[in-house]
Amino acid sequence: MRSSGRRLLAAVVGGALLLTGCWGGDDKSSARPAESTPGLAGKSAPHQPVPRGKGSKVDDDFNGDGARDLVLDALAHRGQGDDPGIGIVYGRRGGLAPGARQLLTAHANGARTKGQLPAAFESEASCDLNEDGFTDLVVSTDPPYDGQGRPPVPLQLLFGSPTGLTGKAVKLQVPARARLGNDWADQPVCGDFDGDGAHDLVLHASGAHLTYLRGPFTRKGAPRAAGKPITAPGNDLATGAPATDVNDDGYDDLLVREEARASKGSLVLGGPKGPTRTGVLFPASTDVAFGTFGRAKDMDAALAAPGGIALRYDVPGTARAKIGVRNASVYAGDLDGDGRSELVVGGGGPGEVWVYRGRASGLAANATATLVPSRGRDGTVQVLKVADFDGDRRADVVVRTAWGQGRDRVEVYPGRAGAEGPVSRKPGVTFSTAGFK
């Protein structure tokens, strides 16, 4: 997208994890058999109808049937151009159903700007913006812009329904008073920042300012209210990724930081008036993950930097430990359902990820396991999501391995309780994104 080029990340509890299993002994997990041909990249499950729902409170439940769905932006494709679209795999009781899939494209689902369909169509955030029980998808597009003056808003909304994400998107309406300067209104973050129970959106405004749009939103893409841009700590800040309640006060918070290099992070705290309060400032890092690695309900932070990973227990506590893995990516999620998060570290080696198990005294001193996805060393491994897809209250891990255009494999590893390890060694679901056509 032709934006300001400064993408910022909001760290999130339950961030994505990457893995493969290396535990000894038999795998006694209850994972379902893989729903594709796991040995062959490019194979896909036969099409199935999207389950019809009645509405739910489950995150990422676009059809409201009570089962979490998966959004895929990186799709294996041949002959579909640079942007093949957004893939949706719908869930069902017991986990994802690769056959119940959907391809969203700019041609079929995008809204026109000045008569032109967007050239880009990528998912950015998801939450129930209009409070109807169906999760909605915020999409980033590339509207026509001549470079003069204030650019158009590049974000569009696809609303969920009993049959999922269908029909044409609508443009997100950002009032002029809520913008500042001539930057793109992008990097959306979903969260309930004012504690009223409705989902809001925070966008990049300009410099150290954020646009705050209060929900709920109308079906035409208009927020309930929007004031002047709010000041955020730091310089040239924008946002991107879901928010979380770091200090457990009932208001979602967000972390803003520059993505392209090691940069300082700033926690912006929610409150009755929205995300207007400055929280802890974090030192320069390339990635941040929040999780309850130690005592239950106490939020901790893992900050990855070129020199290693610094751990801060009880945010905003001072750094109390360090993991000597350089240039890593960090993720957090409760894989075994004990109320504590595991820290998963990518970049430990080619195709490898290391898992550090959460304990009452903090993270295990050494990695619990070295994880390498099937044939991960032969391809490019990417973590897609960590969330509970099978409804057992333990996070599952979605990993994609790609071998160039048209060849990939997505594997879903169920979380598991017990001493054998927090994640099953074998994927419960396996499929290829080449089937999205």
Side-chain angles (χ1 to χ4, degrees):
M1 184 175 75
R2 292 172 296 187
S3 68
S4 62
R6 295 184 294 269
R7 177 173 293 273
L8 288 146
L9 299 178
V12 141
V13 177
L17 311 180
L18 167 62
L19 61 96
T20 88
C22 292
W23 293 277
D26 295 332
D27 185 355
K28 299 180 181 179
S29 71
S30 59
R32 294 183 293 123
E35 295 202 8
S36 182
T37 306
L40 298 175
K43 296 293 183 180
S44 300
H47 266 290
Q48 301 173 8
V50 174
R52 189 176 182 89
K54 297 180 179 180
S56 80
K57 296 292 185 180
V58 174
D59 291 336
D60 289 346
D61 185 7
F62 303 108
N63 59 334
D65 66 345
R68 189 161 191 156
D69 310 318
L70 176 65
V71 181
L72 299 160
D73 268 303
L75 303 179
H77 64 284
R78 287 176 177 160
Q80 297 185 46
D82 294 333
D83 187 0
I86 304 166
I88 307 293
V89 176
Y90 288 90
R92 64 183 183 191
R93 181 174 296 180
L96 292 172
R101 59 183 181 266
Q102 177 185 28
L103 179 64
L104 306 171
T105 66
H107 178 76
N109 305 101
R112 294 181 179 270
T113 300
K114 295 182 179 180
Q116 297 183 34
L117 286 172
F121 209 66
E122 300 177 355
S123 69
E124 289 284 352
S126 59
C127 55
D128 185 1
L129 291 171
N130 60 343
E131 294 191 294
D132 64 352
F134 303 93
T135 302
D136 311 309
L137 187 67
V138 184
V139 178
S140 177
T141 69
D142 188 14
Y145 175 55
D146 61 8
Q148 303 298 314
R150 179 171 288 176
V153 175
L155 302 175
Q156 299 185 5
L157 307 179
L158 277 166
F159 289 101
S161 73
T163 54
L165 296 168
T166 59
K168 289 285 187 179
V170 300
K171 299 175 187 177
L172 175 64
Q173 297 183 32
V174 181
R177 64 180 177 276
R179 300 189 66 176
L180 182 67
N182 292 330
D183 279 6
W184 290 85
D186 56 8
Q187 322 291 28
V189 178
C190 276
D192 181 9
F193 301 104
D194 56 9
D196 66 351
H199 284 102
D200 314 310
L201 284 177
V202 170
L203 316 176
H204 168 68
S206 179
H209 292 83
L210 303 172
T211 291
Y212 171 46
L213 306 177
R214 297 185 64 181
F217 290 71
T218 70
R219 295 282 300 190
K220 294 183 178 180
R224 178 167 67 91
K228 295 181 179 179
I230 56 180
T231 302
N235 295 308
D236 294 330
L237 297 180
T239 57
T244 191
D245 185 1
V246 174
N247 56 357
D248 196 29
D249 64 352
Y251 305 98
D252 281 342
D253 315 308
L254 66 150
L255 178 73
V256 290
R257 56 173 301 278
E258 190 173 349
E259 180 187 43
R261 57 182 176 83
S263 63
K264 295 181 180 180
S266 305
L267 192 64
V268 181
L269 302 177
K273 296 182 179 180
T276 59
R277 300 175 293 157
T278 301
V280 62
L281 303 179
F282 291 105
S285 63
T286 55
D287 198 12
V288 181
F290 288 133
T292 52
F293 304 125
R295 291 177 297 176
K297 295 185 179 180
D298 286 337
M299 194 68 66
D300 312 310
L303 297 92
I309 302 170
L311 302 175
R312 286 191 173 193
Y313 292 104
D314 306 336
V315 172
T318 57
R320 291 173 48 189
K322 191 170 185 178
I323 297 174
V325 183
R326 300 183 178 183
N327 301 313
S329 298
V330 288
Y331 313 90
D334 183 5
L335 303 180
D336 52 13
D338 66 352
R340 300 185 182 93
S341 303
E342 277 65 57
L343 176 68
V344 177
V345 178
E352 292 185 359
V353 174
W354 297 335
V355 176
Y356 295 78
R357 199 163 196 171
R359 305 176 303 176
S361 58
L363 290 170
N366 299 308
T368 304
T370 300
L371 309 176
V372 183
S374 175
R375 289 188 59 197
R377 298 182 188 275
D378 300 331
T380 300
V381 175
Q382 177 188 12
V383 176
L384 299 181
K385 193 74 174 179
V386 171
D388 180 10
F389 288 98
D390 54 16
D392 65 356
R393 298 185 180 181
R394 294 189 292 267
D396 310 313
V397 183
V398 184
V399 179
R400 177 180 183 251
T401 305
W403 298 274
Q405 282 193 346
R407 301 181 64 244
D408 77 345
R409 179 164 58 240
V410 177
E411 297 167 311
V412 183
Y413 294 84
R416 66 180 183 182
E420 293 181 337
V423 180
S424 171
R425 290 184 299 166
K426 298 179 181 180
V429 176
T430 301
F431 63 93
S432 171
T433 69
F436 290 89
K437 298 178 180 178

